[in-house]
């Protein structure tokens, strides 16, 4: 069978005719310029049409509750969500096709509207180059660590008469934090423990609290001058409860502190950084991450592995996995009676908006 001839548009046929005339030497320069202008005009019309189609796809009609009145009430919500997801996916596919046709003329992608991107302005947000912040951080309680004058040495303890789950969490923390030692609390007062830790030259003290036989909070006291912070523990998952996990090594980990944007957030990030040694051992490929999102600090402990000759990397979680929520920050070492609080979370007074964050 003879191959079918492909159909050509009028514009392609006219341009072929002009090319043939140019080869034979019979081309008319005025006619060729007129054809070029016509092609540019057609291109501009097509461009405008595609841009209008792109904008129209954003405001395309979607499904509503009235479209599912024929279903039982228990099924309407699920059906509506499914239909909305399908409509959204189809609009995205349509816009991506139009962007491919437009090429370089495609409009810029809009920034997704999330709670983080619509965050309320906070006067304490820190700029990249802020002389005042740099001066304060050069003279605060954490400056000796960042100036390499001290090396981290961490004491981990718990509440009196702690249960086995709390001991297990303390062992997990000891596994994550190098140069850390765990001690049973017994009935010793916290102020006495702080003085003993100072005498033994510990730089930080972690006290794990429990409620209903499970860890529910942790006091972080930086020594010898403070500050002291209390975090609530949420969503605790031990290493053995993870679907896939690896064994931790003795290598010093890399530390990632992400999304701490305010003055308070900077203080908390510096406090967390003081737990770990200065120089990570990259051969161990261990990474400890503190990721702040909506004032919840997510803790993760991974080892990264290179694959396909270093072109790709995979993460293997080492555990544990938990989330911290800052409740208060106090100047100096722990003092429940006379301590001066720098910041206290009062939910009913401070959480007036879902888009207001403090870290």
């Amino acid at each position: 069978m003879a191959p079918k001839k492909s159909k050509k548009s009028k514009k392609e046929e006219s341009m072929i005719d002009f090319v043939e005339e140019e080869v034979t030497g019979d081309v008319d320069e005025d006619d060729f310029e007129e054809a070029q202008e016509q092609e540019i005009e057609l291109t501009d019309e097509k461009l405008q049409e595609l841009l209008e189609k792109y904008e129209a796809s954003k405001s395309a009609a979607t499904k509503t509750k009235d479209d599912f009145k024929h279903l039982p009430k228990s099924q309407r919500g699920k059906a509506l969500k499914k239909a909305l997801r399908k409509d959204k996916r189809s609009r995205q596919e349509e816009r991506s096709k139009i962007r491919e046709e437009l090429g370089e003329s495609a409009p810029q992608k809009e920034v997704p509207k999330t709670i983080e991107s619509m965050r309320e302005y906070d006067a304490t947000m820190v700029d990249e180059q802020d002389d005042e912040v740099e001066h304060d951080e050069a003279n605060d309680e954490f400056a000796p660590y960042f100036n390499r004058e001290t090396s981290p040495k961490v004491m981990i303890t718990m509440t009196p008469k702690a249960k086995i789950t709390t001991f297990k969490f303390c062992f997990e923390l000891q596994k994550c934090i190098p140069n850390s030692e765990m001690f049973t609390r017994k009935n010793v007062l916290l102020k006495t423990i702080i003085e003993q830790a100072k005498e033994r030259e510990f730089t930080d003290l972690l006290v794990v609290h429990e409620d209903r036989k499970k860890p529910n909070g942790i006091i972080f006291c930086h020594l010898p001058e403070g500050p002291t912070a209390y975090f609530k523990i949420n969503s605790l998952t031990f290493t053995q409860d993870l679907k896939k996990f690896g064994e931790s090594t003795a290598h010093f980990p890399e530390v990632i502190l992400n999304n701490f944007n305010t003055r308070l957030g900077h203080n908390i990030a510096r406090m967390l950084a003081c737990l770990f040694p200065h120089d990570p051992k990259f051969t161990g490929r261990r990474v400890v991450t503190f990721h702040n999102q909506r004032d919840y600090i997510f803790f993760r402990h991974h080892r990264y592995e290179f694959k396909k000759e270093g072109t790709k990397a995979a993460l293997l979680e080492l555990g544990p996995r938990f989330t911290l929520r800052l409740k208060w920050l106090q100047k100096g070492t722990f003092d429940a009676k006379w301590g001066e609080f720098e910041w206290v979370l009062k939910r009913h007074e401070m959480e007036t908006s879902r888009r207001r964050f403090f870290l």
Side-chain angles (χ1 to χ4, degrees):
M1 293 177 66
K4 294 182 180 180
K5 293 183 180 180
S6 58
K7 294 182 180 180
K8 297 182 177 62
S9 62
K10 292 182 180 179
K11 184 175 71 174
E12 289 176 345
E13 290 176 355
S14 61
M15 292 305 296
I16 290 170
D17 293 338
F18 276 112
V19 171
E20 290 176 353
E21 289 176 2
E22 187 176 5
V23 171
T24 56
D26 299 331
V27 66
D28 188 350
E29 292 182 2
D30 295 335
D31 292 342
F32 189 74
E33 288 176 2
E34 185 179 346
Q36 280 186 324
E37 289 175 2
Q38 186 180 4
E39 184 185 1
I40 291 168
E41 287 176 3
L42 289 172
T43 306
D44 291 340
E45 288 177 5
K46 183 69 174 176
L47 178 64
Q48 188 64 29
E49 182 184 344
L50 289 172
L51 288 172
E52 289 176 359
K53 191 176 179 182
Y54 185 86
E55 293 297 328
S57 65
K58 294 181 182 179
S59 56
T62 57
K63 300 289 185 181
T64 61
K65 294 179 182 179
D66 298 333
D67 297 325
F68 301 95
K69 283 186 176 180
H70 61 282
L71 295 175
K73 284 186 177 180
S74 59
Q75 299 178 12
R76 290 177 190 174
K78 188 175 181 181
L80 177 61
K81 287 182 180 179
K82 187 176 180 180
L84 290 174
R85 283 197 297 267
K86 186 178 179 181
D87 290 345
K88 184 178 180 181
R89 200 179 304 115
S90 63
R91 291 197 304 271
Q92 288 175 343
E93 291 174 357
E94 184 182 357
R95 286 200 298 270
S96 64
K97 290 179 182 178
I98 296 172
R99 291 183 68 84
E100 288 178 4
E101 292 184 37
L102 289 170
E104 295 180 356
S105 303
Q108 291 184 351
K109 287 187 177 181
E110 296 180 356
V111 179
K113 290 185 179 180
T114 61
I115 294 179
E116 287 82 7
S117 64
M118 298 171 67
R119 176 178 182 168
E120 290 184 359
Y121 173 75
D122 192 334
T124 62
M125 293 285 284
V126 178
D127 297 328
E128 292 183 2
Q129 296 179 348
D130 193 321
D131 296 335
E132 183 181 352
V133 175
E134 290 178 1
H135 178 269
D136 291 345
E137 291 182 350
N139 297 280
D140 64 2
E141 300 91 339
F142 311 113
Y145 166 81
F146 289 98
N147 294 334
R148 295 177 177 265
E149 297 173 9
T150 60
S151 296
K153 186 181 178 184
V154 183
M155 176 188 283
I156 302 173
T157 186
M158 67 290 295
T159 55
K161 300 179 181 179
K163 305 302 178 185
I164 188 169
T165 312
T166 305
F167 273 93
K168 186 178 178 181
F169 180 59
C170 292
F171 276 114
E172 296 264 7
L173 288 178
Q174 187 181 17
K175 180 184 71 174
C176 296
I177 304 172
N179 300 332
S180 60
E181 299 179 29
M182 195 183 83
F183 298 90
T184 54
R185 170 79 175 273
K186 297 184 179 179
N187 290 320
V188 184
L189 295 175
L190 188 53
K191 285 188 176 181
T192 306
I193 293 175
I194 291 172
E195 295 302 323
Q196 292 175 352
K198 288 181 182 178
E199 292 174 3
R200 299 186 184 186
E201 297 184 349
F202 283 97
T203 60
D204 297 280
L205 171 65
L206 299 179
V207 184
V208 179
H209 287 194
E210 70 172 24
D211 182 36
R212 298 179 183 178
K213 301 181 181 181
K214 293 182 180 180
N216 75 322
I218 185 168
I219 289 179
F220 187 122
C221 183
H222 185 69
L223 303 174
E225 299 177 357
T228 305
Y230 175 71
F231 299 90
K232 185 179 179 182
I233 299 174
N234 297 311
S235 306
L236 172 60
T237 305
F238 292 109
T239 303
Q240 298 296 328
D241 298 329
L242 298 172
K243 290 183 178 179
K244 186 179 180 182
F245 60 88
E247 290 295 329
S248 180
T249 60
H251 297 88
F252 293 169
E254 304 169 51
V255 182
I256 298 174
L257 301 162
N258 188 33
N259 206 27
F260 294 89
N261 301 316
T262 63
R263 293 292 296 270
L264 177 63
H266 268 230
N267 285 343
I268 297 302
R270 287 167 67 82
M271 181 183 289
L272 296 171
C274 290
L275 292 173
F276 300 91
H278 299 94
D279 300 311
K281 295 181 179 178
F282 296 101
T283 53
R285 306 190 306 281
R286 281 181 63 198
V287 182
V288 170
T289 305
F290 293 94
H291 172 73
N292 173 45
Q293 186 172 355
R294 305 181 193 178
D295 288 349
Y296 287 90
I297 302 171
F298 295 87
F299 175 88
R300 296 292 184 270
H301 182 206
H302 291 96
R303 178 168 59 244
Y304 55 89
E305 301 173 351
F306 293 108
K307 294 185 176 181
K308 294 185 178 180
E309 299 180 356
T311 56
K312 290 188 177 182
L315 291 177
L316 178 64
E317 193 162 1
L318 306 179
R321 178 194 298 177
F322 57 90
T323 307
L324 300 174
R325 180 79 190 274
L326 179 65
K327 291 297 183 178
W328 50 259
L329 180 67
Q330 187 183 74
K331 285 187 177 181
T333 55
F334 179 79
D335 190 344
K337 189 174 182 180
W338 305 108
E340 181 184 351
F341 289 90
E342 292 186 36
W343 186 86
V344 179
L345 177 62
K346 298 179 181 179
R347 296 191 63 180
H348 297 291
E349 297 178 12
M350 300 170 70
E351 294 184 348
T352 56
S353 171
R354 292 183 63 195
R355 297 183 288 110
R356 186 184 181 191
F357 309 116
F358 302 100
L359 299 181

